[in-house]
Amino acid sequence: MAKRGYMRIIALTIAFTAIFFSLIKPVQAKGKRLKELQAMQESSYIMNFNWREFKRYVLQNSGEYQIILDYTIGENCDHCEVFESELSEVAYTYHSAGMHLDQDLDSKLPIFFAKIEFNQNNREAFLISEFNSAPILAIATKKEADQYKEEKKVIYDGKTSWVMSAQDVTEAGVLIEHVNRMTGNKLPIRYTMLRTAKGTILILIALGILFFLKDKLASLIQNRIVWFIGSAVVYLQCVGGVAFSLIHSMPTFRYGQDESGNLIVEEFFQRNGRGQYAGEGYICSFLMFVTASLLVVYTRLNKMEDGMKKEIICLLLAILGFIGFTVVNEIFLLKSPMFSSGFYPPNHYMRGPYSVDQGTNI
């Protein structure tokens, strides 16, 4: 009887042990992916996924973590490179805050950053989400993994993805706002030591140059012509949106092809007030600068002797100034059609002899 009792105890122990390990096995499998991601994130702020890793960590997400994904082209895409460079600053911010580690507070999941480049081996990752442009920022969670299991596709909504365009601002300070909104965090941007060092070095170099040239600059900046040229350069850059065009790699104009396949300009000015081509900024700033310069020249005519020459110059300046203002106004109306500024009264105004006031005084 005692032997039989021992055998029963051993059998029950083996049974309970088997049940215990069968229960903890899935948990171990889940935790293994999380540990792998944490190890990969330590070596790179933005992991570079291939299709195999994409399937393992994104399409088999068991709900232990979230991944901020950068769908990118990689080569031959300047905008993608700029975007990834700025996103790495955001990834560094999250990494420094320990957001990739196990989160016990507020039941938040660890957050990782990864990218997947479009190529022949990774094209399936783009096809299942019906993506045909890049870069695209999205957050992958268990919801997307479950969707893939049921429908064999991953469709992100507007709250979990951001399709970047050339007009969008990709600076790290702006990107972190979108990432915070996706993840429900409120982290302020924290730049990498390399970026901070570069900015500090540039400032020190500029200060050093100013210090050694201070004597020459003192006499130079007192010259009114220098002030005028400097003001003109600053004005042209600010009004023309030079910095915006360089940062976002804006095309000069919108190009297309004619029936013969030749490259042609399809559009010079974007039909909205919130975006612009690089070329239209340069055109507008140059037109406004030239028109304003005509007014400056007009104010200097009082030094000329009275006569026919002075009258002709005054007339030419008035005509050219009017043409310049008219062209600038037409461009303004093209960009912002809700306004109705102009030099002429509307067609429905009463017309008659100019000896009678028609409300046409400017």
Side-chain angles (χ1 to χ4, degrees):
M1 292 292 292
K3 184 177 181 180
R4 187 177 299 176
Y6 285 127
M7 293 296 293
R8 186 176 299 175
I9 292 173
I10 293 173
L12 289 173
T13 302
I14 294 174
F16 279 117
T17 303
I19 294 173
F20 175 76
F21 280 106
S22 66
L23 290 175
I24 67 172
K25 187 176 180 180
V27 177
Q28 291 175 340
K30 292 180 182 179
K32 186 177 181 181
R33 279 194 291 268
L34 176 59
K35 297 300 181 184
E36 289 173 352
L37 286 172
Q38 289 173 337
M40 293 166 65
Q41 190 83 80
E42 289 295 339
S43 59
S44 177
Y45 299 135
I46 300 181
M47 299 173 288
N48 190 2
F49 280 175
N50 55 34
W51 172 238
R52 181 183 61 81
E53 293 168 329
F54 184 88
K55 287 193 295 183
R56 175 169 176 76
Y57 299 117
V58 176
L59 302 183
Q60 297 176 14
N61 189 340
S62 57
E64 296 177 290
Y65 52 81
Q66 303 176 85
I67 300 179
I68 303 296
L69 272 171
D70 173 21
Y71 290 84
T72 183
I73 296 176
E75 299 180 355
N76 303 321
C77 179
D78 296 337
H79 187 57
C80 298
E81 292 178 3
V82 172
F83 177 76
E84 183 179 339
S85 174
E86 296 298 319
L87 184 63
S88 65
E89 302 292 333
V90 178
Y92 171 76
T93 300
Y94 269 67
H95 187 275
S96 301
M99 301 302 290
H100 64 298
L101 303 176
D102 297 337
Q103 302 293 314
D104 296 329
L105 300 177
D106 301 326
S107 301
K108 288 186 176 180
L109 300 175
I111 299 171
F112 302 94
F113 287 78
K115 69 174 182 177
I116 182 163
E117 297 182 359
F118 180 83
N119 54 45
Q120 192 63 32
N121 297 325
N122 298 336
R123 64 193 304 267
E124 187 66 25
F126 288 76
L127 293 177
I128 60 175
S129 296
E130 300 178 359
F131 288 154
N132 54 17
S133 65
I136 296 174
L137 192 66
I139 180 169
T141 62
K142 186 176 183 297
K143 174 185 174 183
E144 283 70 34
D146 293 341
Q147 184 185 27
Y148 179 76
K149 291 178 183 178
E150 297 177 2
E151 307 175 15
K152 295 302 178 183
K153 62 181 181 180
V154 177
I155 305 299
Y156 300 95
D157 56 37
K159 296 181 179 179
T160 58
S161 66
W162 182 21
V163 180
M164 300 291 299
S165 67
Q167 289 79 24
D168 289 326
V169 178
T170 57
E171 202 276 325
V174 176
L175 283 180
I176 198 168
E177 294 180 5
H178 289 274
V179 175
N180 283 339
R181 193 156 45 243
M182 288 179 177
T183 59
N185 292 298
K186 295 181 180 180
L187 295 181
I189 190 65
R190 180 180 179 183
Y191 293 106
T192 59
M193 289 294 295
L194 178 61
R195 180 156 177 169
T196 305
K198 285 181 178 179
T200 304
I201 292 172
L202 289 175
I203 292 174
L204 291 176
I205 291 174
L207 291 175
I209 293 173
L210 291 175
F211 177 78
F212 285 108
L213 298 178
K214 62 181 186 301
D215 295 332
K216 294 182 178 180
L217 290 174
S219 59
L220 186 63
I221 61 176
Q222 296 179 22
N223 191 315
R224 289 194 297 177
I225 297 178
V226 173
W227 275 99
F228 179 80
I229 295 175
S231 301
V233 171
V234 173
Y235 178 84
L236 289 170
Q237 288 185 344
C238 293
V239 175
V242 176
F244 178 88
S245 299
L246 291 176
I247 291 173
H248 299 284
S249 302
M250 295 297 295
T252 307
F253 303 108
R254 191 180 77 183
Y255 295 95
Q257 292 182 323
D258 59 14
E259 297 177 354
S260 302
N262 299 318
L263 190 67
I264 59 172
V265 178
E266 291 184 339
E267 188 178 52
F268 287 92
F269 300 94
Q270 288 190 16
R271 299 303 195 267
N272 65 83
R274 297 183 62 84
Q276 70 171 41
Y277 300 116
E280 70 175 272
Y282 305 148
I283 290 174
C284 289
S285 61
F286 180 75
L287 280 174
M288 287 188 278
F289 170 73
V290 170
T291 304
S293 298
L294 292 174
L295 296 179
V296 174
V297 174
Y298 192 86
T299 61
R300 309 292 294 180
L301 290 179
N302 59 349
K303 295 184 178 182
M304 291 184 61
E305 296 182 0
D306 294 336
M308 181 63 70
K309 183 179 179 180
K310 182 177 180 179
E311 292 178 0
I312 292 175
I313 293 176
C314 287
L315 181 61
L316 287 175
L317 290 175
I319 294 173
L320 293 175
F322 176 76
I323 294 173
F325 280 120
T326 302
V327 174
V328 171
N329 183 69
E330 290 299 320
I331 296 174
F332 177 77
L333 293 177
L334 189 68
K335 301 284 292 182
S336 304
M338 70 286 295
F339 298 103
S340 59
S341 59
F343 295 98
Y344 304 100
N347 294 328
H348 64 271
Y349 268 38
M350 183 183 300
R351 297 181 181 276
Y354 284 98
S355 60
V356 179
D357 183 13
Q358 304 174 57
T360 58
N361 294 328
I362 299 177

